[in-house]
Amino acid sequence: MTLTIDPIKGLRGAMRPPSDKSLTHRAYMFAAIAKGDSLVQNPLRGEDCESTLACLAQMGLTFEWLNETTVRIRPAAEWTQPTDHLDCGNSGTTMRLMSGLIASRDLDVTMIGDASLSIRPMKRIAEPLRLMGATVEGDTPPLHIKGSSHLKGIDYQSPVASAQIKSCTLLAGLRAEGETWVTEPSLSRDHTERMLTALGVPLLRDGDKRVGVTGGAEFGGFEFDVPGDISSVAFFMVAAAILPTSRLEIKDLSVNPSRTGIFDVFLEAGIPCILEEEREVLGEPVTDLVVASPFEKKRSFEISGPLVPRLIDEIPVLAVLATQCQGTTVIKDARELRVKESDRIELVADGLRRMGASVETFEDGMAIEGPVKLQGTYIDAHHDHRIAMAFAVAGLAAEGQTTIDGAESIATSFPSFESELRRLTVEG
């Protein structure tokens, strides 16, 4: 599928972004291990989250859609052996987090994915699960797991800051003997910890980067209204910041501090964000947000160190922002981008160069000169949803038409992306 983008003057209006993908995954998985039924409202209906729900259903979970936005989930009394492979589609979150749930049960499961997922690294979650006593074969998918209801708690030093490694290990630890700890080099997303705490599971803490659970913890069914996804709305935030006649109101946005690195970048770049009506839902902070085109010149910025895990998914579109900022923007310590759905460092750099930007790449990032007037071009997104959406934003500010191939991938996280873009467009 191709997506054709023409330049526009701005975005104006209000939007409720697609529900947070990470929180939807976790809501489904936590509902699957709760003691009682759960109601999940406004879950993301993208392909990745549908993969999670389908995989859980193969192991005994049942669910019923009460209406278009609410699903009732009933956990299985005992998880059952699936009769076929679990197909995780394009979702690394499905495969990595669910591995922790499967590893702590007496199941023999093979997890598979599409071509993109099949080359993504799984050794990072296989290692702690093996140390706990599960048998895990495959450092890339297919992933074959022989679980055990007699796992042992471990004290694991994660080599990278990764919410997926941390969550996988902690979820396995909920059914392991003793304590299970994870220490990270820097703080990654903490959705799992916040949700566990809100559900009454006592977390073990030792400083900011070390967290644990005690085996045997249980919790009851719950209700959760999934807030909007900052990683998805980031594309519209950047578009509103670089297009001259924009004022965008964003409703019900999750602003978990481990995910709000984009606010730090906007502050450094001189782009105002106004937060309104701050509140909390199942441990997650939620707010309304206004982004309007700044009157002053936008400044270059740096993304590095502990900031990287707080905005890793937003880096492709923040690279687009960098092309419209004065000076040299530097992105480093982001080698993780090379093992996402694609090598995002190379694809972003190549696409921006095609559009006329000056970009230097490193093993762990890039440097981008700005400002530059972008030129419309052809972009191959390599079926990576964030690459496709980032260059759609670039195309809005470019001269001439931009054509993006592989845009069907957008449906994995933001099915209504194109229609929302058209609805909010201020024509030139």
Side-chain angles (χ1 to χ4, degrees):
M1 169 189 162
T2 59
L3 176 62
T4 301
I5 299 293
D6 292 305
I8 63 173
K9 286 292 186 182
L11 299 176
R12 296 190 73 86
M15 68 178 295
R16 203 280 188 186
S19 295
D20 190 287
K21 183 166 72 166
S22 295
L23 292 175
T24 301
H25 282 300
R26 285 164 174 79
Y28 289 162
M29 293 190 201
F30 280 52
I33 60 175
K35 300 298 181 182
D37 292 3
S38 297
L39 286 177
V40 181
Q41 298 172 303
N42 292 306
L44 179 66
R45 298 299 299 270
E47 294 173 2
D48 282 7
C49 297
E50 298 293 301
S51 293
T52 290
L53 199 55
C55 288
L56 291 169
Q58 285 182 252
M59 294 178 288
L61 172 142
T62 58
F63 62 91
E64 175 190 6
W65 288 97
L66 304 182
N67 52 52
E68 290 186 358
T69 61
T70 304
V71 59
R72 176 187 287 129
I73 296 176
R74 176 162 295 165
E78 293 291 337
W79 285 34
T80 57
Q81 175 68 35
T83 58
D84 200 355
H85 297 338
L86 300 184
D87 188 350
C88 302
N90 186 245
S91 177
T93 303
T94 302
M95 184 169 287
R96 291 182 178 131
L97 269 63
M98 199 172 297
S99 293
L101 299 177
I102 292 168
S104 61
R105 290 167 168 81
D106 295 316
L107 300 172
D108 188 337
V109 174
T110 298
M111 308 175 77
I112 62 174
D114 66 9
S116 172
L117 183 58
S118 296
I119 60 173
R120 295 179 68 181
M122 294 297 152
K123 183 177 180 180
R124 52 182 52 185
I125 56 100
E127 183 176 71
L129 296 179
R130 289 166 182 156
L131 291 172
M132 296 177 81
T135 300
V136 185
E137 299 172 356
D139 290 340
T140 57
L143 200 61
H144 181 203
I145 301 176
K146 290 183 179 179
S148 170
S149 56
H150 301 289
L151 296 185
K152 304 290 186 182
I154 59 171
D155 192 342
Y156 187 64
Q157 297 276 339
S158 179
V160 296
S162 166
Q164 294 182 352
I165 296 173
K166 177 172 59 177
S167 296
C168 172
T169 308
L170 293 177
L171 290 176
L174 290 176
R175 287 171 54 89
E177 180 183 331
E179 297 178 354
T180 298
W181 288 87
V182 180
T183 303
E184 301 182 285
S186 60
L187 180 65
S188 66
R189 299 177 182 181
D190 65 351
H191 295 308
T192 295
E193 299 97 296
R194 285 174 177 268
M195 195 173 286
L196 285 173
T197 299
L199 292 171
V201 175
L203 284 185
L204 309 173
R205 294 282 191 182
D206 183 8
D208 294 336
K209 304 171 188 175
R210 182 167 154 80
V211 63
V213 294
T214 302
E218 295 181 342
F219 53 86
F222 55 89
E223 294 186 16
F224 183 39
D225 189 349
V226 184
D229 188 351
I230 198 166
S231 294
S232 293
V233 84
F235 299 97
F236 285 80
M237 290 173 64
V238 170
I242 65 178
L243 297 170
T245 60
S246 294
R247 189 180 191 280
L248 186 63
E249 300 174 24
I250 300 161
K251 304 294 186 181
D252 300 325
L253 181 65
S254 172
V255 286
N256 183 302
S258 65
R259 297 276 302 280
T260 54
I262 189 172
F263 292 161
D264 297 36
V265 168
F266 271 38
L267 180 63
E268 187 176 352
I271 302 167
C273 290
I274 303 169
L275 277 64
E276 302 174 338
E277 301 293 330
E278 296 182 59
R279 51 205 182 273
E280 189 170 287
V281 180
L282 201 62
E284 290 288 334
V286 178
T287 192
D288 298 336
L289 176 71
V290 177
V291 180
S293 301
F295 294 101
E296 298 180 1
K297 290 183 178 180
K298 294 174 284 294
R299 302 184 294 265
S300 60
F301 51 89
E302 179 175 319
I303 296 173
S304 61
L307 182 59
V308 173
R310 295 179 56 225
L311 47 58
I312 189 71
D313 288 334
E314 291 81 78
I315 288 178
V317 76
L318 290 174
V320 174
L321 173 63
T323 68
Q324 306 305 303
C325 294
Q326 189 74 41
T328 302
T329 291
V330 176
I331 300 168
K332 59 184 180 180
D333 303 323
R335 197 190 182 289
E336 184 74 7
L337 289 172
R338 293 194 180 274
V339 293
K340 290 288 188 176
E341 286 86 333
S342 65
D343 184 338
R344 288 179 176 166
I345 291 175
E346 291 304 325
L347 287 186
V348 167
D350 178 67
L352 291 179
R353 289 177 188 135
R354 285 173 173 268
M355 301 186 83
S358 175
V359 185
E360 177 187 1
T361 59
F362 329 121
E363 183 59 26
D364 66 345
M366 65 190 87
I368 304 162
E369 298 286 342
V372 61
K373 185 59 181 177
L374 299 175
Q375 304 296 317
T377 190
Y378 167 82
I379 298 290
D380 184 349
H382 289 263
H383 306 288
D384 186 327
H385 59 133
R386 299 202 191 277
I387 296 296
M389 288 186 283
F391 282 100
V393 172
L396 297 176
E399 289 184 347
Q401 198 171 77
T402 299
T403 302
I404 301 164
D405 201 5
E408 70 281 352
S409 57
I410 293 172
T412 64
S413 63
F414 201 155
S416 62
F417 176 80
E418 186 176 1
S419 62
E420 280 292 273
L421 198 58
R422 308 299 183 199
R423 182 179 68 83
L424 296 165
T425 291
V426 176
E427 298 290 351

